């Protein structure tokens, strides 16, 4: 699995990552969601550089222009609920992409043990298409793994791009052992620490709660 860490480059993306991490700024719920959308825009733009293109001629009022246009057939998927603003930002870059939505959550047992439950998944045809799966936080990699097993059970995308702005080193290593060249991980920060409850440190907290309010 290839890992692309956009946070290692100097770009405005790092300003938005700083703002969603800042414990004061992130209290502004509207701004938090807006920043996730802007982060999605940037990831979408960077992703577009590695997709397929075809030459096209366009009739203008004064003549014909020839240019390369993106021809990849995309499906933009997200894990509810924290991934919704990120999904919108990515989707805004790809006018004709289809979407898929997955409701996955941690169900805790005794102690710190938990399993990933998928209660709902809706996806269009994936065979031979480029699948982009977006989730704001990549803590252990378990949600990504379960989601891909669920929606790709009987279908094979041509390539899978994972967009996870904040990731843990543990999850990156785990997914690298699980997947090969068919998967690319895009991130903006890889944090070293993971708590006993599988929260990323320093991370940013609970992205879903920050975007939409605390859950019961």
């Amino acid at each position: 699995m290839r890992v692309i860490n956009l946070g290692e480059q100097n770009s405005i993306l790092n300003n938005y990552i700083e703002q969603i991490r800042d414990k004061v700024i992130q209290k502004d719920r509207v701004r938090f969601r807006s920043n996730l959308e802007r982060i999605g825009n940037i990831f979408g733009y960077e992703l577009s550089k590695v997709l397929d293109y075809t030459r096209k001629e366009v009739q203008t009022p004064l003549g014909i222009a020839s240019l390369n246009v993106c021809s990849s057939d995309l499906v933009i998927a997200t894990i509810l609920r924290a991934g919704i603003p990120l999904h919108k930002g990515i989707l805004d870059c790809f006018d004709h992409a289809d979407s898929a939505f997955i409701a996955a959550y941690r169900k805790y047992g005794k102690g710190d043990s938990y399993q990933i439950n998928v209660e709902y998944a809706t996806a269009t045809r994936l065979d031979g298409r480029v699948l982009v799966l977006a989730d704001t936080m990549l803590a252990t990699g378990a949600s990504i793994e379960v989601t891909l097993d669920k929606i790709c059970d009987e279908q094979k995308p041509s390539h899978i791009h994972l967009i996870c702005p904040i990731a843990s080193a543990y999850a990156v290593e785990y997914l690298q052992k699980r997947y090969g060249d068919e998967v690319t991980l895009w991130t903006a920060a890889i944090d070293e620490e993971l708590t006993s409850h599988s929260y990323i440190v320093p991370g940013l907290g609970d992205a879903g709660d920050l975007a939409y309010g605390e859950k019961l």
Side-chain angles (χ1 to χ4, degrees):
M1 182 185 76
R2 185 185 180 194
V3 179
I4 300 174
N5 185 354
L6 298 180
E8 294 176 338
Q9 307 169 16
N10 288 332
S11 79
I12 197 65
L13 172 63
N14 288 335
N15 288 51
Y16 304 144
I17 295 296
E18 179 258 334
Q19 290 177 26
I20 64 171
R21 284 190 190 263
D22 189 295
K23 69 178 185 179
V24 176
I25 297 174
Q26 66 180 205
K27 291 179 180 179
D28 184 340
R29 198 174 295 172
V30 173
R31 187 172 179 181
F32 185 81
R33 293 195 300 267
S34 175
N35 278 331
L36 285 180
E37 287 186 25
R38 294 196 289 184
I39 289 168
N41 290 157
I42 294 172
F43 273 104
Y45 170 76
E46 293 293 336
L47 171 63
S48 73
K49 297 178 182 179
V50 303
L51 299 176
D52 294 331
Y53 284 76
T54 56
R55 198 71 175 171
K56 183 177 180 180
E57 292 188 343
V58 180
Q59 180 70 57
T60 79
L62 299 177
I64 295 177
S66 182
L67 67 163
N68 293 332
V69 296
C70 183
S71 57
S72 291
D73 190 9
L74 275 71
V75 178
I76 315 296
T78 193
I79 299 176
L80 304 176
R81 62 184 166 148
I84 294 175
L86 186 65
H87 174 271
K88 183 181 183 305
I90 299 167
L91 191 62
D92 284 345
C93 293
F94 302 105
D95 295 350
H96 304 292
D98 288 337
S99 292
F101 300 92
I102 301 92
Y105 68 97
R106 297 177 183 178
K107 185 175 182 179
Y108 285 91
K110 294 181 179 180
D112 296 327
S113 66
Y114 67 88
Q115 63 182 21
I116 303 297
N117 278 16
V118 176
E119 288 195 344
Y120 173 83
T122 178
T124 184
R125 176 184 57 83
L126 299 177
D127 277 327
R129 307 177 74 182
V130 177
L131 174 62
V132 181
L133 177 56
D135 195 11
T136 304
M137 308 288 286
L138 178 64
T140 66
S143 295
I144 293 290
E145 181 180 25
V146 170
T147 295
L148 290 178
D149 287 347
K150 179 75 172 180
I151 65 176
C152 300
D153 181 34
E154 298 179 353
Q155 302 191 74
K156 185 174 177 60
S158 61
H159 196 81
I160 298 171
H161 293 277
L162 307 176
I163 295 181
C164 305
I166 308 291
S168 76
Y170 173 91
V172 172
E173 182 179 354
Y174 177 80
L175 293 180
Q176 283 180 314
K177 293 177 180 179
R178 177 70 172 80
Y179 299 106
D181 294 339
E182 77 279 9
V183 175
T184 300
L185 170 64
W186 299 75
T187 188
I190 300 176
D191 293 348
E192 291 297 327
E193 188 177 344
L194 205 60
T195 71
S196 60
H197 281 83
S198 298
Y199 285 103
I200 303 172
V201 178
L204 55 77
D206 190 304
D209 286 358
L210 290 168
Y212 299 109
E214 293 185 11
K215 56 185 173 293
L216 294 176

